């Protein structure tokens, strides 16, 4: 049997393998709501323009609503010989309302239809991800406020560098996520143009009103070039690229959670809700969720790379290659959403161990910079020289087997005779963080203020 939707010039049906490679219904059925919304807007516009009758349009609308209900209720039979969501819906419409169904595809092609459906889907996805990211920011800002003064080591090269606060560290991710959200918002703004009416590639001879369908579907305006419209997938690329960056951010936090929850660090504890046990080692509590979030960029960056590779060198306009845009993107969006949800859950769940973090922050001569700064401030030493003197003091403490705050004044003075007892005030980790009051610095006072600013912003 030839295809009943387009088989006019065909004498036989497709080879089984042809059907298998060609069909997209297995994955594009998830576009059904967008497909139906687009068809309803199209039919209404055709009627308003006098291209089809008002009665036909009303029949079409009723039929489409019935199909939406059938699909939602799981009562719709998708068939592979109808290739994709567009033909499945249209064919069912014909069964339901008869010949009027055949008028729906006037002044339209599956090329602008799929461009529309996928755009609407990606737009919905962005809105959903944005809400999720906002909630994650909220979870982080709440932790930041609660731990504005909880001291932890700040690292460079994963070596203890300077004391910071856990709240400050949480707010670092709030900033990253804000940029992720703004990248998604950018992509959304750029993609929010109506592709419907580009038809196959050249536009149409019917007197359609693309501004009307744009309004009906929440677009800012119609796209301006029909060739570009059916050939463009940058709206998916941009969204995937924003997701890839966001997933990369989440993977860094996930990796930190993995490190922090080891018995070597013991900075945080995840509850039973976000850990798993080992089938052989009864003592184990594994941070599997964090590890999986750490791994998710694999498939999300993979999806971006896959689609870039499909689009690269593809001549204008539509080619069936472009049907390969959907599966990796769907997978990436699903996993992006899952990774955000898991990270939010972990951030709400994890309990910081202030004592262990403070201990680690005080070790490793983490206040050496504070000592150097004291030399500069009090003795008016040039910073380079202060750096050198501090280096000698650290070496001395190392041979004495003590930390800087425990190094006796006499020994300090053997390196620099002008040092006074006053220096010990700057050597505690508490003093160190409290002194970092520069704009964007880690002083608890700053962190508290920033956390509250974010909380206010996120709660409105
Ligand atoms: N299933 C197709 C896709 O996802 C729909 C567009 C088909 N267009 C065509 N000319 N065959 O790209």
């Amino acid at each position: 049997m030839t295809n009943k939707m387009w088989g006019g010039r065909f004498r036989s049906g497709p080879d089984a393998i042809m059907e298998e490679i060609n069909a997209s219904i297995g994955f594009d059925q998830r576009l059904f709501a967008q497909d139906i919304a687009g068809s309803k807007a199209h039919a209404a516009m055709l009627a308003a323009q006098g291209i089809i009758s008002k009665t036909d349009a009303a029949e079409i609308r009723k039929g489409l609503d019935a199909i939406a209900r059938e699909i939602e209720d799981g009562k719709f039979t998708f068939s592979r010989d109808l290739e994709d969501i567009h033909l499945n819906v249209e064919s069912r419409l014909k069964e339901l309302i008869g010949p009027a169904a055949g008028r729906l595809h006037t002044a339209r092609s599956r090329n602008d239809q799929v461009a529309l459906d996928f755009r609407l889907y990606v737009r919905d996805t962005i809105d959903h991800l944005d809400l999720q990211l906002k909630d994650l920011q909220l979870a982080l800002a709440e932790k930041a406020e609660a731990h504005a003064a909880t001291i932890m080591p700040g690292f460079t090269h994963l070596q203890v560098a300077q004391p910071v606060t856990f709240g400050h560290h949480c707010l670092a991710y709030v900033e990253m996520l804000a940029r992720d959200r703004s990248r998604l918002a950018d992509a959304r703004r750029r993609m929010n143009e109506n592709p419907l009416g580009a038809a196959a590639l050249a536009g149409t001879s019917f007197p359609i009103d693309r501004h009307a369908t744009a309004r009906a579907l929440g677009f800012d305006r119609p796209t301006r070039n029909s060739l570009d419209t059916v050939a463009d997938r940058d709206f998916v690329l941009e969204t995937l690229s924003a997701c890839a960056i966001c997933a990369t951010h989440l993977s860094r936090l996930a990796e930190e959670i993995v490190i922090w929850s080891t018995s070597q660090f013991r900075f945080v504890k995840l509850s039973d809700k976000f850990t798993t046990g080992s089938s052989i080692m009864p003592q184990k509590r594994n941070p599997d969720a964090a590890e999986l979030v750490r791994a998710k960029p694999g498939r999300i960056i993979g999806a971006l790379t896959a689609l870039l590779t499909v689009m690269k060198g593809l001549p204008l306009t539509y080619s069936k290659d472009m049907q390969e845009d959907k599966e990796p993107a769907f997978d990436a969006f699903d996993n992006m959403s899952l990774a955000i949800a898991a990270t939010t859950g972990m951030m709400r769940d994890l309990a910081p161990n202030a004592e262990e973090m403070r201990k680690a922050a005080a070790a490793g001569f983490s206040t050496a910079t504070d000592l150097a700064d004291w030399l500069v401030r009090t003795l008016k030493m040039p910073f380079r020289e202060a750096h050198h003197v501090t280096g000698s003091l650290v070496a001395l403490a190392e041979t004495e087997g003590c930390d800087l705050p425990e190094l006796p004044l006499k020994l300090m003075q053997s390196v620099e005779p002008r040092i006074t007892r006053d220096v010990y005030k700057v050597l505690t980790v508490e003093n160190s963080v409290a002194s970092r009051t520069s704009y964007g610095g880690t002083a608890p006072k700053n962190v508290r203020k920033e956390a509250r600013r974010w909380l206010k912003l996120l709660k409105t």
Side-chain angles (χ1 to χ4, degrees), residues 200-220:
L201 75 163
T204 174
S205 57
F206 290 99
I208 57 168
D209 182 354
R210 298 189 60 211
H211 293 274
T213 44
R215 275 191 303 275
L217 295 164
F219 289 113
D220 296 329

Side-chain angles (χ1 to χ4, degrees), residues 24 28 83-84 86 110-111 114 233 318 320 322-323 325-326:
S24 55
D28 68 13
E83 283 183 44
D84 54 28
H86 325 297
R110 275 189 291 161
N111 295 348
V114 74
R233 289 295 180 272
Y318 178 85
K320 202 58 172 266
M322 289 164 71
Q323 178 167 284
D325 59 356
K326 290 174 205 65

Side-chain angles (χ1 to χ4, degrees), residues 57-302:
E59 282 300 298
I60 289 172
R61 182 169 47 74
K62 268 193 282 175
L64 288 168
D65 284 336
I67 294 172
R69 278 192 302 275
E70 285 179 8
I71 299 178
E72 278 156 15
D73 297 345
K75 292 192 181 119
F76 189 95
T77 327
F78 292 104
S79 59
R80 197 174 77 172
D81 54 324
L82 288 166
E83 283 183 44
D84 54 28
I85 185 63
H86 325 297
L87 297 184
N88 269 268
V89 169
E90 199 188 318
S91 159
R92 178 69 183 138
L93 188 64
K94 182 139 183 256
E95 285 170 15
L96 290 177
I97 69 165
R103 302 196 185 278
L104 172 60
H105 212 53
T106 314
R108 185 177 79 171
S109 150
R110 275 189 291 161
N111 295 348
D112 60 341
Q113 204 180 348
V114 74
L116 169 69
D117 293 5
F118 205 15
R119 248 180 226 238
L120 290 174
Y121 184 90
V122 173
R123 199 177 69 180
D124 289 346
T125 301
I126 289 178
D127 293 344
H128 173 72
L129 292 176
D130 185 67
L131 280 179
Q132 282 193 287
L133 286 170
K134 187 174 176 184
D135 189 42
L136 174 53
Q137 284 185 300
L138 191 62
L140 286 158
E142 279 162 1
K143 271 278 182 301
E145 192 191 23
H147 294 281
T150 304
I151 293 171
M152 71 178 281
F155 296 93
T156 60
H157 314 268
L158 198 55
Q159 308 282 328
V160 172
Q162 290 174 354
V164 296
T165 76
F166 185 64
H168 200 47
H169 200 103
C170 290
L171 289 181
Y173 284 100
V174 174
E175 294 289 336
M176 291 177 232
L177 297 175
R179 294 194 296 276
D180 292 333
R181 288 179 66 194
S182 90
R183 265 182 287 272
L184 286 170
D186 271 355
R188 190 193 198 285
R189 237 188 325 273
R190 246 184 313 278
M191 82 171 61
N192 203 31
E193 296 184 341
N194 179 22
L196 200 58
L201 75 163
T204 174
S205 57
F206 290 99
I208 57 168
D209 182 354
R210 298 189 60 211
H211 293 274
T213 44
R215 275 191 303 275
L217 295 164
F219 289 113
D220 296 329
R221 63 192 82 84
T223 55
R224 304 188 75 90
N225 180 296
S226 63
L227 301 175
D228 172 47
T229 303
V230 296
D232 161 45
R233 289 295 180 272
D234 11 309
F235 63 97
V236 194
L237 288 171
E238 275 198 71
T239 307
L240 284 174
S241 130
C243 285
I245 297 173
C246 177
T248 304
H249 286 154
L250 296 192
S251 81
R252 299 181 73 173
L253 177 54
E255 164 69 348
E256 294 187 320
I257 293 174
V258 170
I259 295 176
W260 292 342
S261 59
T262 58
S263 57
Q264 289 79 9
F265 272 74
R266 300 203 304 159
F267 282 8
V268 301
K269 191 169 174 199
L270 285 171
S271 80
D272 295 356
K273 286 194 207 156
F274 282 93
T275 46
T276 61
S278 152
S279 54
I280 174 164
M281 298 164 282
Q283 84 284 11
K284 292 285 297 270
R285 181 199 275 285
N286 297 326
D288 293 32
E291 293 168 273
L292 287 162
V293 172
R294 184 173 63 183
K296 291 300 182 191
R299 52 168 94 197
I300 296 171
I301 296 167

